[in-house]
Amino acid sequence: MSAPATRRERIGILLIGDELLSGKRVDKHMPSVIDILDARGMELSWARMVGDDAGLLEDTLRQTMSGDDIVFSFGGIGATPDDRTRQCAAAAVGVSLEFNAEGRALLEARFGDDAYPKRIHMVEWPVGSRVIPNPVNQVPGFSFGHHHFVPGFPKMAWPMVEWVLDTHYADLQRAERNVELLLEVRDTPESALIDLMQHVMDAHPDVRIACLPNASGRRAIEFGVRGSAVAADNAFRALESALVEMGVPLGRRARR
């Protein structure tokens, strides 16, 4: 079943677990999701990290599930008492939990009688959920609307994210990847560049332009222009021309 056609193209991730906030584990999902999206001409718009506190998790999901963003949620969908994502997702959208029929069949095929009485709760999802296949151990994740819930284990989660993107959002993918063009500005305060930057941004709304001051003590600012190759090239040339016209000293240029 494909996701509904009405949607925006913003993509976010939820990283769930007390172990991330305590420092016991370091998140590995965001860099990989960025790479997975980039390979499909897509980009990550936002990320949130939240612990296992049920009230906070429910509030967070209520906020994210009330919008149209595509969201991947990592962690908290197991059967142990600290795994609360399934329950909080159901509460956030005001539906009950049910043992998903397709998910039940997958668990029974994988574990037989040992699916009961505990493992079966891993497919107790909000009513209306859809299966996300797990190619590693066949214990599925689930989708509800444009929210997609996968395990916290990277080797399982990442191919599941790819499956969701290629199955439900193939029409949002672009063969052409975005590029980022970098330009260093030297010996010039940020305040002197604000109007110029705003002018270029207004003239090229299809790209993102950012400036990053040097943190090493050297007086330099790095401009980044990101977008499709043609749009980024056009905006970059406009930015560079404006800086040259101002007499601003320029440094290195890079493309990535």
Side-chain angles (χ1 to χ4, degrees), residues 25-249:
R25 289 189 179 175
V26 176
D27 170 61
K28 298 179 181 178
H29 292 302
M30 187 160 68
S32 290
V33 169
I34 290 171
D35 289 342
I36 289 169
L37 292 173
D38 183 62
R40 291 160 174 79
M42 307 169 82
E43 291 193 339
L44 185 66
S45 297
W46 57 265
R48 292 192 191 185
M49 187 177 290
V50 62
D52 293 317
D53 177 87
L56 180 59
L57 181 53
E58 182 181 330
D59 286 345
T60 300
L61 286 167
R62 185 174 294 110
Q63 293 172 25
T64 62
M65 296 178 85
S66 66
D68 297 322
D69 292 355
I70 299 165
V71 179
F72 292 95
S73 174
F74 296 86
I77 61 172
T80 58
D82 61 327
D83 290 321
R84 301 185 174 99
T85 304
R86 296 175 291 105
Q87 301 90 324
C88 290
V93 293
V95 302
S96 60
L97 291 167
E98 68 173 358
F99 291 102
N100 180 272
E102 186 179 355
R104 184 200 299 266
L106 289 169
L107 282 194
E108 290 175 346
R110 172 70 174 82
F111 297 108
D113 291 341
D114 289 337
Y116 298 90
K118 302 298 184 183
R119 288 188 175 101
I120 196 64
H121 288 286
M122 291 189 290
V123 295
E124 190 179 17
W125 302 331
V127 173
S129 297
R130 310 181 307 277
V131 161
I132 302 174
N134 182 336
V136 176
N137 69 356
Q138 288 71 58
V139 177
F142 67 96
S143 296
F144 188 95
H146 292 300
H147 273 57
H148 309 283
F149 298 87
V150 298
F153 300 106
K155 69 176 182 179
M156 300 180 188
W158 300 344
M160 294 168 78
V161 169
E162 292 183 304
W163 182 89
V164 168
L165 290 170
D166 294 340
T167 302
H168 297 310
Y169 303 107
D171 59 314
L172 297 183
Q173 299 180 27
R174 296 186 294 112
E176 180 187 22
R177 298 187 185 188
N178 284 339
V179 300
E180 186 171 21
L181 305 176
L182 306 176
L183 176 63
E184 185 182 65
V185 171
R186 296 176 178 171
D187 301 323
T188 306
E190 279 186 297
S191 58
L193 302 171
I194 292 174
D195 290 343
L196 178 150
M197 184 178 175
Q198 187 65 59
H199 175 74
V200 176
M201 290 173 66
D202 291 343
H204 300 271
D206 49 349
V207 301
R208 295 207 302 274
I209 301 176
C211 66
L212 182 66
N214 189 285
S216 66
R218 187 164 55 91
R219 193 176 187 187
I221 297 170
E222 182 183 79
F223 275 100
V225 179
R226 185 170 181 81
S228 67
V230 172
D233 281 336
N234 290 338
F236 185 85
R237 285 196 295 269
L239 175 65
E240 187 176 32
S241 297
L243 291 167
V244 169
E245 187 175 341
M246 281 183 62
V248 174

